[in-house]
Amino acid sequence: MTSPSPAAILLICCPDRRGIVAALSAFITEHHGNIIALDQYVDTANGVFFARMEWELDGFTLPMDGFAAAFRPLAEPWGIQWSLHLSTARLRMAVMVSRQAHCLYDILARTESGEWPVDIALVLSNHPDHRPLAERHGIPFQHIPVTAATRAEAEPLQIQALRDAGADFIVLARYMQILSPAFVQAFPMRILNIHHSFLPAFAGARPYHAAHDRGVKIIGATAHYVTETLDEGPIIEQDVIRVSHRQGIDDLVRLGRDLEKIVLSRAIYAHLTHRILVYRNRTVVFT
Amino acid sequence: MTSPSPAAILLICCPDRRGIVAALSAFITEHHGNIIALDQYVDTANGVFFARMEWELDGFTLPMDGFAAAFRPLAEPWGIQWSLHLSTARLRMAVMVSRQAHCLYDILARTESGEWPVDIALVLSNHPDHRPLAERHGIPFQHIPVTAATRAEAEPLQIQALRDAGADFIVLARYMQILSPAFVQAFPMRILNIHHSFLPAFAGARPYHAAHDRGVKIIGATAHYVTETLDEGPIIEQDVIRVSHRQGIDDLVRLGRDLEKIVLSRAIYAHLTHRILVYRNRTVVFT
Amino acid sequence: MTSPSPAAILLICCPDRRGIVAALSAFITEHHGNIIALDQYVDTANGVFFARMEWELDGFTLPMDGFAAAFRPLAEPWGIQWSLHLSTARLRMAVMVSRQAHCLYDILARTESGEWPVDIALVLSNHPDHRPLAERHGIPFQHIPVTAATRAEAEPLQIQALRDAGADFIVLARYMQILSPAFVQAFPMRILNIHHSFLPAFAGARPYHAAHDRGVKIIGATAHYVTETLDEGPIIEQDVIRVSHRQGIDDLVRLGRDLEKIVLSRAIYAHLTHRILVYRNRTVVFT
Amino acid sequence: MTSPSPAAILLICCPDRRGIVAALSAFITEHHGNIIALDQYVDTANGVFFARMEWELDGFTLPMDGFAAAFRPLAEPWGIQWSLHLSTARLRMAVMVSRQAHCLYDILARTESGEWPVDIALVLSNHPDHRPLAERHGIPFQHIPVTAATRAEAEPLQIQALRDAGADFIVLARYMQILSPAFVQAFPMRILNIHHSFLPAFAGARPYHAAHDRGVKIIGATAHYVTETLDEGPIIEQDVIRVSHRQGIDDLVRLGRDLEKIVLSRAIYAHLTHRILVYRNRTVVFT
């Protein structure tokens, strides 16, 4: 549970060495931070230490803009990679969407009802269809047509639009165009995608058709960070639902829509609340 | 629910045509059979009709050995493929196993406690390890060593042993050798396998290692009929369990063992109670 | 899968007797109806037969307004209770809501995007908060204040509003007031409710608090028809999600919202597509 | 994942105060313990801190028999309640069983195959039926008849038998007699039970009948520590499976057996590996 009072969140990754937890918690305690959550995990096979520390800012004697300087003497000798976040800071999210709108509807509803501490900076689409939906929520909408043939010209425009909107991260909410490596590199580990299968099964196009064809008894959805290789980025969240021979492809699509929107939203929540560390194309998600 | 009193079970597959259900149920009713379960399914995309009918034998006026002759005038014009089973007949099952015994333990326990209407005809292994376990349950055990190199000589011995034991069907309970096409053809749609992944993800060897490597958030197990192509036979049953970054490969193996034995046992139960129809490498399982 | 072409759907409940399936399917076949789905179930303990038959209207020789007269000679001697529905008819749904809007958002999104063959006749609330949301979707909104103290005066107004709107059925989408028996009797088996627990556990108020207090490892949500006894109507659908000690009450509420909206929507879909039969306070749901 | 090399496991519960993590990890680090797992949780509502620390004994400079004295200066001022365990110590488990044996079979299989680091000290039953099963595994079996009427005389004999066997903890593997408060007090938080429902739903007798009667769409099983109030002890683990109207009571019993044995075994594993802390009738399970 995230603390309702202002808190700092520190994400850490470093080589695993004796005393790392003691050193980290001593550092916070010395500056009178009250740790309200400490999750740690050691990848013993690779000797890597991961942690998420959350402490109340009330009473913490180190100002946030002085944190880096104060933490450096600890971080450097231990080889610590870290990022610091404030629970009170609101991220700016851009949503990219094509024709299917169920994930977009779900994101807009959660944002409007205050479920998430986020601002939607932009809805960007390769189709004009969902302009009324976005604008009804007071969200800027931009239509930039893209096809496989026009991707090279369109992507710089998209990237510029996302930057102009000040997007901290991007959610592909059933966006059906492939992103070029250059696009992905512009927002490293800051693009979340929902794929409508239980990856790595049924990567690529038309996964529900492929699932029906194979006769699986369970279908799934996968939220992952986008990397340069299609459908192979680090997995953040997955979920599944049982099906049987009775479900035709239309039924899989219908049942899958619910999976997709819930799985994507769980991943967005984890990203927003700074619970995800990425390492070796896998994620550590502290829930 | 299977009727506790003697019942006949008819499995049917034919082109879908108007009136097929009426014709089938009229046939049973004419001979005073009381239908206690009728499951049907139409694959509308391919125009194929599937059904499972179960009726009480008490009062049914057609003797079982006269069924084929009486049913032919109905079956032939409609192009019906069918099989007839008695709920009171006990099938004979052979179990093939290698070193890991958790599925074997589970199968022996269910059989011994009377959960399943089946007799175990033989435990056949490429290792001698589990002879005491089988013999403790009074089950014949045979050890036929097999490696990839000796498969060609070993398989005829295995097939002979299974035939000598009078096995109606074969369960691969974590049997780790690949079967040749000739072996599979000797027992078509009568070999059940458990694969320790959520197929089609992680087919082949060491699926838990592959799942850990890919960083999936859910692992699974798949029971399927064995066909000539490895891990591609028709799927009977699947189930999954959530995992996180905290689970190392050893944990996946430990958690997966429970999935494997339960999923395999559900598939065996469906096979034993004549609930499975196979079509186009998919299964219709009437549960 | 519901047929995309016009179809008739017949729901049936009667004492189980030999030949009922044959008689029913013969009736449809005689009138040249092509059965595309036939689901049946026999409650052997109570001797009751249930069925859902769906057949294409194309080619069916019996006009819908002549169905009752033609079916009576079959229905009466067998004691058949039945209802007939057209797959092309659009039902009118009223939604009652209090302050929490996640289920309402989900219902509006599904309806607007054409996922469901339904028209929303009215959003009725005991609070004025969600008028803008409803009106943005072009849905009539009515605010009738209700408290436990004013229920006796308010309910007749509510019932009148629902009747004026021509509502075929009513969805309580996290409506937090208790309905009187008189209200329930005005819409028998036509009011669906979502309760935010895995019933019968944690009936009544504040189920997430109670679940947290009891330390359960799984929480759930339950969609049911409303009867005169609170939280005891026939269950249509349930689903669950794992939790641990780490989840505080706020987390249960957050995770539960997703369960609630998905479970309620599955129940609405089953109701809309005429898949539910109620008997002895239980449901038969043909999916 | 439990370390394969010898490790110490410290379970801790104390009032939450600033610096507790730093103090604990400094203590282990000072004595050159390499922490391989540290799980902590703060119940912010009640201000209670829980932790499980696991560190390698290789290189740890404090002998185990000196731990208490060395730890006291830290533990006392912080009000720490703690217990220390060695990963290499094998606990002694007693199993109490009545007529249904599926959980017993599963426990015996896991123990025999080396899945669990445990010795079975005794199988104790109120029926003689499973003596051959226990003895086949080389496990002592004792038959002490008990009925509600004879409980007062039988329980002292049972308690004595459990003590004579040197049982560290007791598993009720579908043991169908109620234990008196005196019995429970003899083994506080050391008796694990499996209840065949999703508690708190369907506490008491015949839960599958009650679940069928209520028409639930999901059934469950619950493993919990036994306290003086029947079925109300702290829950360790739960799991569920979907059912429909098609499943009669016999089917619920059949499907439930698999749930029961898996849920009970997960709870036993968590107990064996010292992952469970109990507080306010709830459990913190560090998995």
Side-chain angles (χ1 to χ4, degrees):
Chain A
M1 188 166 55
T2 300
S3 167
S5 61
I9 298 156
L10 183 65
L11 293 177
I12 276 176
C13 176
C14 66
D16 184 37
R17 281 166 48 198
R18 212 164 281 217
I20 175 70
V21 174
L24 286 169
S25 38
F27 177 83
I28 304 303
T29 302
E30 275 163 26
H31 296 93
H32 299 274
N34 187 33
I35 297 172
I36 50 178
L38 185 157
D39 292 293
Q40 73 132 53
Y41 163 68
V42 177
D43 177 345
T44 47
N46 297 300
V48 184
F49 172 87
F50 302 88
R52 180 185 188 273
M53 303 181 78
E54 185 170 352
W55 64 92
E56 292 175 333
L57 286 178
D58 185 31
F60 191 58
T61 55
L62 199 56
M64 283 298 99
D65 58 8
F67 186 89
F71 193 54
R72 190 170 306 123
L74 175 60
E76 286 196 350
W78 294 80
I80 293 175
Q81 296 179 294
W82 58 276
S83 62
L84 183 71
H85 310 274
L86 293 180
S87 70
T88 50
R90 289 175 74 84
L91 292 185
R92 289 178 66 76
M93 168 170 74
V95 182
M96 294 179 69
V97 65
S98 293
R99 284 229 161 84
Q100 296 218 45
H102 51 285
C103 290
L104 176 60
Y105 271 111
D106 196 52
I107 289 168
L108 291 171
R110 290 174 199 264
T111 308
E112 185 170 282
S113 63
E115 182 176 327
W116 287 341
V118 75
D119 294 313
I120 304 186
L122 177 66
V123 173
L124 178 60
S125 182
N126 54 331
H127 297 286
D129 315 32
H130 300 307
R131 178 182 298 278
L133 175 57
E135 292 185 349
R136 210 166 62 190
H137 284 80
I139 310 284
F141 178 92
Q142 202 164 339
H143 170 220
I144 300 179
V146 190
T147 64
T150 65
R151 180 173 306 132
E153 300 86 61
E155 283 198 346
L157 303 176
Q158 292 178 309
I159 292 171
Q160 194 55 48
L162 293 164
R163 288 189 171 143
D164 290 348
D168 292 307
F169 70 104
I170 300 159
V171 172
L172 308 185
R174 294 300 309 272
Y175 178 71
M176 303 308 282
Q177 292 291 321
I178 291 173
L179 303 182
S180 74
F183 192 118
V184 174
Q185 283 156 13
F187 305 97
M189 292 303 147
R190 294 194 284 135
I191 309 176
L192 286 77
N193 183 47
I194 182 70
H195 183 75
H196 40 315
S197 83
F198 182 82
L199 288 176
F202 311 122
R206 295 165 66 86
Y208 291 126
H209 287 74
H212 187 261
D213 221 50
R214 181 61 186 92
V216 291
K217 300 302 185 185
I218 287 174
I219 58 168
T222 303
H224 63 94
Y225 286 116
V226 177
T227 56
E228 299 178 26
T229 317
L230 183 68
D231 296 334
E232 300 210 348
I235 293 169
I236 304 168
E237 171 66 348
Q238 302 186 290
D239 211 343
V240 297
I241 189 171
R242 292 191 79 84
V243 295
S244 78
H245 61 272
R246 294 189 188 277
Q247 273 77 45
I249 290 171
D250 288 356
D251 295 305
L252 301 192
V253 169
R254 174 174 56 83
L255 295 168
R257 276 195 296 258
D258 286 353
L259 276 182
E260 294 161 26
K261 71 187 188 193
I262 299 299
V263 167
L264 178 57
S265 286
R266 285 190 203 142
I268 293 172
Y269 179 80
H271 183 90
L272 277 179
T273 52
H274 310 291
R275 297 173 181 280
I276 312 176
L277 284 153
V278 175
Y279 180 72
R280 292 191 169 210
N281 208 44
R282 297 202 298 258
T283 61
V284 170
V285 184
F286 289 120
T287 51
Chain B
M1 190 168 53
T2 301
S3 167
S5 61
I9 298 158
L10 183 65
L11 293 176
I12 276 177
C13 174
C14 66
D16 185 34
R17 280 167 48 198
R18 212 164 282 216
I20 176 70
V21 175
L24 287 169
S25 37
F27 177 83
I28 304 303
T29 303
E30 275 163 26
H31 296 92
H32 299 274
N34 188 34
I35 297 172
I36 50 178
L38 185 157
D39 292 292
Q40 72 131 54
Y41 163 68
V42 177
D43 177 345
T44 47
N46 297 300
V48 184
F49 171 88
F50 302 88
R52 179 185 189 274
M53 304 180 80
E54 186 170 351
W55 65 92
E56 292 174 332
L57 286 178
D58 184 31
F60 190 58
T61 55
L62 200 56
M64 283 299 99
D65 58 7
F67 186 89
F71 192 53
R72 190 170 306 125
L74 175 60
E76 286 196 349
W78 293 80
I80 294 175
Q81 295 180 293
W82 59 276
S83 64
L84 182 71
H85 310 273
L86 292 181
S87 70
T88 49
R90 290 175 75 84
L91 293 184
R92 290 177 67 76
M93 168 170 72
V95 182
M96 293 177 71
V97 65
S98 292
R99 285 227 160 84
Q100 296 218 47
H102 51 285
C103 290
L104 177 60
Y105 271 111
D106 196 53
I107 288 167
L108 292 171
R110 290 175 200 264
T111 308
E112 185 171 283
S113 62
E115 182 177 326
W116 287 340
V118 75
D119 292 313
I120 304 186
L122 176 67
V123 173
L124 178 59
S125 181
N126 54 333
H127 297 286
D129 313 35
H130 299 308
R131 177 182 299 278
L133 174 56
E135 293 185 349
R136 210 167 61 191
H137 285 81
I139 310 285
F141 177 92
Q142 201 163 340
H143 170 219
I144 300 179
V146 190
T147 64
T150 65
R151 180 171 309 130
E153 301 86 62
E155 283 197 345
L157 302 177
Q158 292 178 309
I159 293 171
Q160 194 56 49
L162 293 164
R163 288 189 172 144
D164 289 349
D168 293 305
F169 70 106
I170 300 159
V171 173
L172 307 185
R174 296 299 309 275
Y175 178 71
M176 303 307 282
Q177 293 291 320
I178 292 172
L179 303 182
S180 74
F183 192 118
V184 174
Q185 284 156 12
F187 305 96
M189 293 304 149
R190 293 194 285 134
I191 309 176
L192 286 77
N193 183 45
I194 181 71
H195 183 75
H196 40 315
S197 84
F198 182 81
L199 287 176
F202 311 122
R206 294 163 67 87
Y208 292 125
H209 288 74
H212 187 261
D213 221 51
R214 181 63 186 91
V216 291
K217 301 301 185 186
I218 288 174
I219 58 167
T222 303
H224 63 95
Y225 285 116
V226 177
T227 56
E228 298 178 26
T229 317
L230 183 68
D231 295 334
E232 300 210 348
I235 294 171
I236 303 168
E237 170 67 348
Q238 301 186 292
D239 210 343
V240 297
I241 189 170
R242 291 191 79 84
V243 295
S244 78
H245 60 273
R246 292 188 190 279
Q247 273 77 47
I249 291 171
D250 288 356
D251 295 305
L252 301 191
V253 169
R254 175 175 54 83
L255 294 167
R257 274 195 297 257
D258 286 353
L259 276 182
E260 295 160 26
K261 73 187 186 192
I262 299 299
V263 167
L264 178 57
S265 286
R266 286 191 203 139
I268 293 172
Y269 180 80
H271 182 90
L272 275 180
T273 52
H274 310 291
R275 298 174 181 280
I276 312 175
L277 283 152
V278 175
Y279 180 72
R280 292 190 169 211
N281 209 43
R282 296 202 299 258
T283 60
V284 171
V285 183
F286 289 120
T287 51
Chain C
M1 189 166 56
T2 300
S3 166
S5 61
I9 298 157
L10 183 65
L11 294 177
I12 276 176
C13 175
C14 66
D16 185 36
R17 281 167 48 200
R18 212 166 282 217
I20 175 70
V21 174
L24 286 169
S25 38
F27 177 84
I28 303 304
T29 302
E30 275 163 26
H31 297 93
H32 299 276
N34 187 32
I35 296 172
I36 50 178
L38 185 156
D39 292 293
Q40 72 131 56
Y41 162 67
V42 178
D43 177 345
T44 47
N46 297 299
V48 184
F49 172 88
F50 302 88
R52 179 184 189 273
M53 303 181 79
E54 186 171 350
W55 66 92
E56 293 175 332
L57 286 178
D58 185 31
F60 190 58
T61 55
L62 199 56
M64 283 298 100
D65 57 9
F67 185 90
F71 192 53
R72 191 170 307 126
L74 175 60
E76 287 196 351
W78 293 80
I80 294 175
Q81 295 179 291
W82 59 277
S83 64
L84 183 71
H85 310 274
L86 293 181
S87 70
T88 51
R90 287 175 75 84
L91 292 185
R92 288 177 67 75
M93 167 169 72
V95 182
M96 294 178 70
V97 66
S98 293
R99 284 226 159 84
Q100 296 218 47
H102 51 284
C103 290
L104 177 60
Y105 271 111
D106 197 53
I107 289 168
L108 291 170
R110 289 175 201 264
T111 308
E112 184 169 284
S113 63
E115 183 176 326
W116 286 342
V118 74
D119 293 313
I120 304 186
L122 177 66
V123 173
L124 178 60
S125 182
N126 54 332
H127 297 286
D129 314 33
H130 299 308
R131 178 182 299 277
L133 174 57
E135 293 185 348
R136 208 165 65 190
H137 285 81
I139 310 284
F141 178 91
Q142 201 163 340
H143 170 218
I144 298 179
V146 190
T147 64
T150 65
R151 180 172 307 131
E153 300 85 61
E155 283 198 344
L157 302 176
Q158 292 177 310
I159 292 171
Q160 194 55 49
L162 292 164
R163 287 190 172 142
D164 289 349
D168 292 306
F169 70 105
I170 300 159
V171 173
L172 307 186
R174 293 301 309 272
Y175 178 71
M176 303 307 281
Q177 293 291 321
I178 292 172
L179 303 182
S180 74
F183 192 118
V184 174
Q185 283 156 12
F187 305 97
M189 293 304 148
R190 292 193 286 134
I191 309 176
L192 285 78
N193 183 47
I194 181 71
H195 183 76
H196 40 315
S197 84
F198 182 81
L199 286 176
F202 311 123
R206 293 163 69 84
Y208 292 126
H209 287 75
H212 187 260
D213 221 49
R214 182 62 186 92
V216 291
K217 301 301 185 186
I218 287 174
I219 58 168
T222 304
H224 63 94
Y225 285 116
V226 176
T227 56
E228 298 177 28
T229 316
L230 183 68
D231 295 335
E232 300 210 347
I235 294 170
I236 304 168
E237 170 67 347
Q238 302 186 290
D239 210 344
V240 297
I241 189 170
R242 292 190 78 84
V243 295
S244 79
H245 60 273
R246 293 187 188 279
Q247 274 77 47
I249 291 170
D250 288 357
D251 295 305
L252 301 192
V253 169
R254 174 175 56 82
L255 294 168
R257 275 195 296 259
D258 286 354
L259 277 182
E260 294 160 28
K261 72 188 189 192
I262 299 299
V263 167
L264 178 57
S265 287
R266 285 190 203 140
I268 293 172
Y269 180 80
H271 183 90
L272 276 179
T273 51
H274 311 291
R275 296 174 182 280
I276 312 176
L277 283 152
V278 175
Y279 180 73
R280 294 192 169 208
N281 209 44
R282 297 202 299 258
T283 61
V284 170
V285 184
F286 289 120
T287 51
Chain D
M1 189 167 55
T2 300
S3 166
S5 61
I9 298 157
L10 183 64
L11 293 178
I12 275 176
C13 174
C14 66
D16 185 35
R17 281 167 47 199
R18 212 165 282 217
I20 175 70
V21 175
L24 287 170
S25 39
F27 177 83
I28 303 303
T29 303
E30 274 162 28
H31 296 93
H32 300 275
N34 187 35
I35 296 172
I36 49 178
L38 186 157
D39 293 292
Q40 72 132 58
Y41 162 68
V42 177
D43 176 345
T44 48
N46 297 299
V48 184
F49 172 88
F50 302 87
R52 180 184 188 273
M53 303 181 79
E54 186 170 352
W55 65 92
E56 291 174 335
L57 286 177
D58 184 30
F60 190 59
T61 55
L62 199 56
M64 283 300 99
D65 57 9
F67 186 89
F71 192 53
R72 190 170 307 124
L74 175 60
E76 286 196 350
W78 293 80
I80 294 175
Q81 295 180 292
W82 58 276
S83 64
L84 182 71
H85 310 274
L86 293 181
S87 70
T88 50
R90 290 176 74 84
L91 292 185
R92 289 178 67 76
M93 169 170 71
V95 182
M96 293 178 70
V97 65
S98 293
R99 285 228 160 84
Q100 296 218 46
H102 52 285
C103 291
L104 177 60
Y105 271 112
D106 196 53
I107 289 167
L108 292 170
R110 289 175 201 264
T111 308
E112 183 169 284
S113 62
E115 183 177 326
W116 287 341
V118 75
D119 292 313
I120 304 186
L122 177 66
V123 173
L124 179 59
S125 181
N126 54 332
H127 297 286
D129 314 34
H130 300 306
R131 179 182 298 278
L133 174 56
E135 293 185 349
R136 208 166 63 191
H137 285 80
I139 311 284
F141 177 91
Q142 203 163 339
H143 170 219
I144 300 179
V146 191
T147 64
T150 64
R151 181 173 306 130
E153 300 85 61
E155 284 198 345
L157 303 177
Q158 292 178 309
I159 293 171
Q160 195 54 49
L162 294 164
R163 288 189 171 142
D164 289 348
D168 293 306
F169 70 106
I170 300 158
V171 172
L172 307 186
R174 294 300 308 274
Y175 178 70
M176 303 307 282
Q177 293 291 320
I178 293 172
L179 303 183
S180 74
F183 193 117
V184 174
Q185 283 156 13
F187 305 97
M189 293 303 148
R190 292 195 286 134
I191 309 176
L192 286 77
N193 184 45
I194 181 73
H195 183 75
H196 39 315
S197 84
F198 183 80
L199 287 176
F202 311 122
R206 294 166 67 89
Y208 292 126
H209 287 74
H212 187 261
D213 222 49
R214 182 63 187 91
V216 292
K217 301 301 186 186
I218 288 174
I219 58 168
T222 304
H224 63 95
Y225 285 116
V226 176
T227 57
E228 297 177 28
T229 318
L230 183 68
D231 295 335
E232 300 209 347
I235 294 170
I236 304 168
E237 170 68 347
Q238 301 186 291
D239 211 343
V240 297
I241 189 171
R242 291 190 80 84
V243 295
S244 78
H245 60 271
R246 292 188 189 279
Q247 273 78 47
I249 291 171
D250 287 357
D251 294 306
L252 302 191
V253 169
R254 175 174 55 83
L255 295 167
R257 275 195 296 258
D258 286 354
L259 277 182
E260 294 160 27
K261 73 187 188 191
I262 299 299
V263 167
L264 178 58
S265 286
R266 286 189 202 141
I268 293 172
Y269 180 80
H271 183 91
L272 275 180
T273 53
H274 311 291
R275 297 173 182 279
I276 311 176
L277 282 152
V278 175
Y279 180 72
R280 293 188 170 213
N281 209 43
R282 298 203 298 260
T283 61
V284 171
V285 184
F286 290 120
T287 49

